Amino acid sequence: METFRLMMLGPPGAGKGTQAKRLADRLEIPHVSTGDMLREARRKGTELGEKAAEYMEAGRLVPDKVVIGIVRERLQEDDAETGFILDGFPRTRPQAEALAEMGVELDAVVNIDVSDDEVVNRLGGRLSCPNCGAVYHRDANPPAVDDVCDKCGSEGLITREDDRPEAIRERLEEYHKKTAPLIEFYEQRGVLENVNGEASPDEVADAIVEQIGA
Ligand SMILES: [Zn+2]
């Protein structure tokens, strides 16, 4: 593969952002995260950024047209000439079609596969400090003293509303509904690479590199 025009796909908690950053460093290509770009455009006060800000402030999803405009501008920059890793875009089949219409053909779409139960286990075990916002995990990263924040010493860690199992299942349902047609779209184009995301971060990174032939 001469270029690495990649996209990372995976449910919340799959480690998508972490893997995208690692791969970007390794291949020396930009990690193009739409979440980061929207925040950046908003900070800079560009026309698109202001438009995006209106929606974000109203707590609404930024419409495809606006996101696509921001991505198009970003992919035209010099550092994206030999490749890039899209993270957070496209999220839907119409967005994928718009990207293809822009003349952007992806070399590989890396789908980090993690079962729903594992996602619930990972995100459902999260404990947050209501005082300083530090995040722990019941099994993977517990605080040194039970129920006490390592960082600020506050007592009484909580499970945030978003991290409750029912809330996670709802997000997953929404995720699957939106991404199933997207996965099908890239499968038909022969660029989908499924990677087992239930291994250690190092193993997942190695598997990605091997599967995309980097
Ligand atoms: Zn704290």
Side-chain angles (χ1 to χ4, degrees), residues 62-84:
V62 181
D64 284 1
K65 206 171 56 186
V66 178
V67 181
I68 289 164
I70 290 174
V71 171
R72 179 193 283 130
E73 275 179 12
R74 179 63 187 90
L75 297 186
Q76 281 165 354
E77 285 176 35
D78 290 348
D79 66 344
E81 212 169 305
T82 58
F84 48 79

Side-chain angles (χ1 to χ4, degrees), residues 129 132 149 152:
C129 171
C132 75
C149 179
C152 73

Side-chain angles (χ1 to χ4, degrees), residues 129-134 136 149-154 157:
C129 171
N131 182 48
C132 75
Y136 303 90
C149 179
D150 290 348
K151 289 208 177 118
C152 73
S154 288
L157 301 175

Side-chain angles (χ1 to χ4, degrees), residues 5-40:
R5 289 171 306 216
L6 312 172
M7 201 261 277
M8 298 288 269
L9 210 54
K16 183 165 61 84
T18 309
Q19 292 296 340
K21 276 190 200 110
R22 287 178 70 144
L23 196 58
D25 284 345
R26 186 190 171 112
L27 301 176
E28 298 181 335
I29 53 178
H31 170 210
V32 179
S33 151
T34 36
D36 289 351
M37 282 193 316
L38 285 170
R39 281 184 289 273
E40 172 79 2

